[in-house]
Amino acid sequence: MTKYKPQLIVALDVDTLYEAKGLIDVLGRDVEIFKVGSQLFTACGPVVVRHLLKAGKKVFLDLKYHDIPNTVANAVRAAVNLKEGSQGIFMCTLHTAGGREMLKRASEAATEAALAAKVKRPLLLGITALTSDEKKDSIGQFVLKKALLAKECGLDGVVASSQEAALVRKHLGRDFMIVTPGIRPAGAEADDQKRITTPSEAQAQGSDFLVVGRPIVKAEDPREAARHILKEMGR
Ligand code: C5P
């Protein structure tokens, strides 16, 4: 169980700035954190990040960096420099599969760039296994190993399914952040996600942030869908 109530993150997995702005308007009263992933960022770039920051929202930049250490460190620097006034991005992702040097260099780059840009260092989150991967018997140990590596390299947390969240929480302590996608309210479609969980299960397993995309973004009434999930989260 987490000490704090987890927060909802809505994944803005849409194709255009127009659609993203519409969702931000509709959900803005209830949702504080929005995730910009490769689909939207490839389509419209930093403008959507700045739009969110201007609207006073927290931005999770989910570009899952995985490249040589120098390139990832520079990408993280560029991400930290995406700011509006003194407000920078809230969190971003990189693949733990990139290895120790890549993760360490990224972590150092984030600290340096945040200091230079006079913004708060964003939370760096390591991708462990994708929630669309089939469940393998050893996945728990695999995720735990990746989480330990992430912590050693100065990352702030990991992205992990709720099935692994309890294990990560047990071994890495209260301050290590766990972000869980693959959240589906009871009865909702799994889509391509293999290791799904309900908002209340994820909360019970120790996740700090629950990422929800299609169940809200594709809903007939996204505001109602978000409120339903927030209610289940006790918010
Ligand atoms: O639509 P759905 O709720 O499945 O969206 C989940 C979001 O979380 C997507 O934007 C996806 O890229 C992201 N994500 C994930 N699994 C991870 C990391 C991120 O599904 N391990």
Side-chain angles (χ1 to χ4, degrees), residues 11-13 35 37-38 60 62 64 93 127-132 159-161 179-184 190-193 195 211-216:
L12 289 172
D13 291 335
K35 183 170 92 68
S38 48
F60 174 10
D62 182 25
K64 302 185 176 67
T93 46
I127 301 290
T128 53
L130 294 178
T131 37
S132 55
V159 178
S161 87
V179 176
T180 299
I183 303 292
R184 292 292 180 271
D191 304 303
D192 57 347
Q193 298 283 16
R195 284 173 295 129
V211 180
V212 183
R214 286 161 288 185
I216 293 176

Side-chain angles (χ1 to χ4, degrees), residues 219-230:
E220 229 164 83
D221 184 344
R223 181 188 286 146
E224 200 38 52
R227 286 187 174 168
H228 181 75
I229 290 172
L230 284 163

Side-chain angles (χ1 to χ4, degrees), residues 196-211:
I196 57 167
T197 195
T198 62
S200 40
E201 271 164 10
Q203 186 158 343
Q205 295 304 316
S207 299
D208 299 286
F209 297 95
L210 311 189
V211 180

